[in-house]
Amino acid sequence: MKNVHEIEIKIEGKEWEKCLDKAFKKRNKETKIDGFRKGTAPKEMYLKKCGIESLYMDAVDDAVGVAYDKVMKDNKLVPVIEPKLDVKTIDEKAVTFTFTIITKPEIKLGAYKDLKIKKETPKVTKEEIKEEIENLRSKFAEITVKEEGEKIAEKDTAVINFKGYVDGAELEGGSGESFPLEIGSNTFIPGFESGLVGLKKGDKKTLELKFPENYAQDLGGKDVKFDVEIMEIKTRVLPEIDEDFFKDLGYDKVTSKEELESEVEKVIKERKEKDIDDQYLESCLEKASENMTIELNKEIIDDEVHRMIHQFEEQLRMQGLNLEQYSQFTGIDHEKLHEQMEPEATKRVKYRYLLEEIAEVEKIDFKDEEVEKKANEMAENYGITKEQLLEAYGSLEVVKYDMKMREAMEIIRASK
């Protein structure tokens, strides 16, 4: 591929001698030579005992930086991923490196304006408004304990003691005390929750059930018995649709159900407009990237996958998990995860190069004061200082890059 550059470079003479001498000083401090304290043996004595080959690894580490700087300066290349390095030859006179450098692939833009993509108009139905109001009522529901004699119904929470048995033996991990179980949550195996409907506080019941065929721990398809005792029944009392409810929602000026429905309709419409706008932009990016000609190196895709996996690891860490635990729970190993992420990684890379090329073609740029202003606005929105923002972003150049990408998106979004 045209954007793959293999460059050979030799570090020799005084430059290589300097690297070897630095490596000797380091190794000499760590090596015991008979008759000398560590770090005091002459170089000739050290080489006689350990050989010059013992210096090569440290010397190469030092020489790589020198070689890379020369390659970049002489060839004026801008790598898009970490260059690959091979040590081709090495001896006491010189070391020869081969750098494989991948630069930005060649891009030929196709149509990215007037893409003829239709943007939907958001519609809100009466059923959606009703459902949203019920969801709001549910959020403000009051939890009360049912009185003696009242029965368990769907959506009630039954506080239970239970113990499970398989093949006459107590089921490991299959028991609990004062366990709050919401009926209809499908927390337990099929038949458990529905089997409690109609019971009252103090009732005891044995549920004879069967584990699903695909159940874990070699229990799939096995018969199981649960002895259950109802300790307490809690229910959710939904608030009345009145002025107190309107105030709880923050609608101080709403005085009727009809006015509430109007406000809820606006909220749903705004939510749908955002979803439609996001999908519209995605459709525009997808169409414009399909019109673009680009040949992507596998290494560039792999680099993006690795970045995504790292982000995924961070998300898992916030949940108290690591990648190894995730693999154990799901059966998805690192290789499978990499494979699953490749399509999304490919799309991300294409979109990034598409927007960069549009920004270049459209000559999108921003003055330093505009970037400074944007950084200040972003910091204020996030509730942090500009210094903290730049620490997270890296530099003002990254803020500027982000501004250019967003402007390029707006050009695509303006397509009719």
Side-chain angles (χ1 to χ4, degrees), residues 359 363-372 374 396-397 399-408:
K363 295 181 172 54
I364 298 173
D365 202 4
F366 296 93
K367 296 177 181 177
D368 290 347
E369 53 266 32
E370 292 176 299
V371 181
E372 287 275 1
K374 183 64 177 178
L396 278 172
E397 278 302 310
V399 176
K400 185 176 183 179
Y401 176 85
D402 188 56
M403 292 171 68
K404 290 167 74 171
M405 295 302 96
R406 290 181 184 279
E407 186 68 21

Side-chain angles (χ1 to χ4, degrees), residues 9-177:
I9 182 169
K10 181 183 284 189
I11 302 298
E12 57 187 341
K14 290 184 178 180
E15 281 184 320
W16 181 232
E17 287 176 14
K18 185 179 178 181
C19 294
L20 288 171
D21 192 53
K22 188 174 178 180
F24 159 69
K25 289 175 181 177
K26 177 185 175 183
R27 286 291 177 184
N28 198 27
K29 290 178 182 178
E30 303 168 351
T31 307
K32 182 70 174 72
I33 306 292
D34 292 342
F36 298 92
R37 296 191 311 276
K38 285 185 178 180
T40 62
K43 190 173 183 179
E44 294 76 14
M45 294 295 295
Y46 172 89
L47 293 178
K48 185 175 181 181
K49 178 179 179 180
C50 302
I52 195 169
E53 294 81 6
S54 66
L55 304 178
Y56 287 167
M57 186 176 293
D58 289 316
V60 162
D61 288 343
D62 199 42
V64 165
V66 177
Y68 184 68
D69 289 343
K70 281 190 173 185
V71 167
M72 292 296 102
K73 183 179 178 181
D74 294 346
N75 296 276
K76 294 181 174 59
L77 298 174
V78 180
V80 294
I81 61 172
E82 191 74 25
K84 181 183 175 183
L85 169 69
D86 287 315
V87 179
K88 191 173 182 181
T89 62
I90 185 169
D91 56 35
E92 59 187 70
K93 294 181 179 179
V95 59
T96 304
F97 298 111
T98 299
F99 286 95
T100 303
I101 298 171
I102 296 178
T103 56
K104 186 174 179 178
E106 184 179 346
I107 301 166
K108 292 183 180 177
L109 282 177
Y112 60 90
K113 296 179 180 178
D114 301 323
L115 296 173
K116 305 295 188 291
I117 295 174
K118 186 178 179 182
K119 188 175 182 179
E120 293 181 30
T121 301
K123 295 178 182 178
V124 182
T125 66
K126 290 183 178 179
E127 190 60 37
E128 287 173 323
I129 295 171
K130 181 181 177 182
E131 185 179 340
E132 183 69 14
I133 290 175
E134 288 306 303
N135 288 337
L136 292 171
R137 290 181 72 198
S138 182
K139 288 179 181 178
F140 285 89
E142 182 183 350
I143 307 299
T144 62
V145 177
K146 279 192 171 182
E147 295 181 3
E148 295 286 340
E150 288 193 282
K151 298 177 180 180
I152 296 173
E154 282 289 327
K155 296 188 178 180
D156 282 348
T157 295
V159 180
I160 60 174
N161 292 344
F162 66 95
K163 188 170 290 186
Y165 300 89
V166 173
D167 298 331
E170 189 173 330
L171 176 63
E172 185 179 349
S175 63
E177 291 187 357

